[in-house]
Amino acid sequence: MKGCRKNSDPKYYNKVIKQLKSKVRKEYNRRKLGVHCTEKLKQLSKQLLVVKKSAQEAYLKSVLSKEGKCWSDFYKYVKRHKGNKENIPAIKDYNRRIITDAIEKANTFNSYYSTVFSSEGNILLIQGENTGNPFTTNIKTMRRRVKVIGKKNQ
């Protein structure tokens, strides 16, 4: 007897989708038998995607029509289905320390992007490829060189 487990299929899966899903699975297992099986797998996969998309749209229309016509009902629906997911996973800062706090993550990204997109001063400590020595360049010098390259290409 097979073990009982919860059905992981979305609510909008209907009989047609389940049948197509089964056919795709069978063709996937037969794909090494020849080109005709591979082509049939591609065709069935595309068909399954189209049917799933239309079924999902129909399901969402029916659910949203029941939810009401105001924005607060819509956001309640979204919140119920979104779950409690963290937007940004844990990150490492420049000291390779793991950061999980949302405010610390924001500050880390802020400091990083402020140095990357800074237009003031010098670009410091860009590692040379062969020498191993860092070099410093002036922003004004870089702009002049880019301008000259642009003029040459015109």
Side-chain angles (χ1 to χ4, degrees), residues 100-150:
T100 56
D101 181 52
I103 293 172
E104 279 188 77
K105 288 183 215 174
N107 290 333
T108 303
F109 282 127
N110 185 32
S111 64
Y112 172 74
Y113 287 117
S114 67
T115 60
V116 171
F117 295 110
S118 175
S119 63
E120 299 296 321
N122 296 329
I123 300 172
L124 297 175
L125 300 177
I126 299 174
Q127 197 70 29
E129 209 172 287
N130 296 328
T131 63
N133 298 326
F135 68 93
T136 303
T137 185
N138 189 301
I139 293 290
K140 291 178 184 175
T141 306
M142 292 299 288
R143 287 185 180 151
R144 268 190 257 123
R145 290 181 181 167
V146 169
K147 197 174 188 179
V148 169
I149 291 170

Side-chain angles (χ1 to χ4, degrees), residues 16-126:
V16 175
I17 292 175
K18 290 177 183 178
Q19 287 173 346
L20 275 172
K21 192 175 167 184
S22 176
K23 287 180 183 178
V24 167
R25 210 175 297 122
K26 286 177 187 173
E27 286 302 319
Y28 177 81
N29 292 331
R30 296 178 56 193
R31 71 189 184 281
K32 293 183 181 177
L33 296 178
V35 177
H36 65 282
C37 292
T38 308
E39 290 301 318
K40 188 163 183 174
L41 173 64
K42 287 180 185 178
Q43 175 194 11
L44 286 171
S45 296
K46 287 178 184 178
Q47 188 179 356
L48 177 61
L49 288 175
V50 169
V51 172
K52 281 168 70 174
K53 187 174 181 177
S54 64
Q56 185 180 23
E57 287 174 1
Y59 172 75
L60 288 176
K61 280 182 185 177
S62 70
V63 168
L64 291 175
S65 67
K66 293 176 190 172
E67 290 293 325
K69 304 227 185 303
C70 68
W71 284 105
S72 62
D73 289 341
F74 172 73
Y75 285 116
K76 286 177 190 173
Y77 168 79
V78 170
K79 190 173 181 180
R80 272 198 318 268
H81 287 81
K82 180 183 159 208
N84 188 15
K85 296 180 183 172
E86 188 176 329
N87 292 334
I88 301 173
I91 60 171
K92 289 184 181 178
D93 66 358
Y94 59 91
N95 292 327
R96 316 227 4 107
R97 187 182 62 147
I98 295 175
I99 299 173
T100 56
D101 181 52
I103 293 172
E104 279 188 77
K105 288 183 215 174
N107 290 333
T108 303
F109 282 127
N110 185 32
S111 64
Y112 172 74
Y113 287 117
S114 67
T115 60
V116 171
F117 295 110
S118 175
S119 63
E120 299 296 321
N122 296 329
I123 300 172
L124 297 175
L125 300 177
I126 299 174

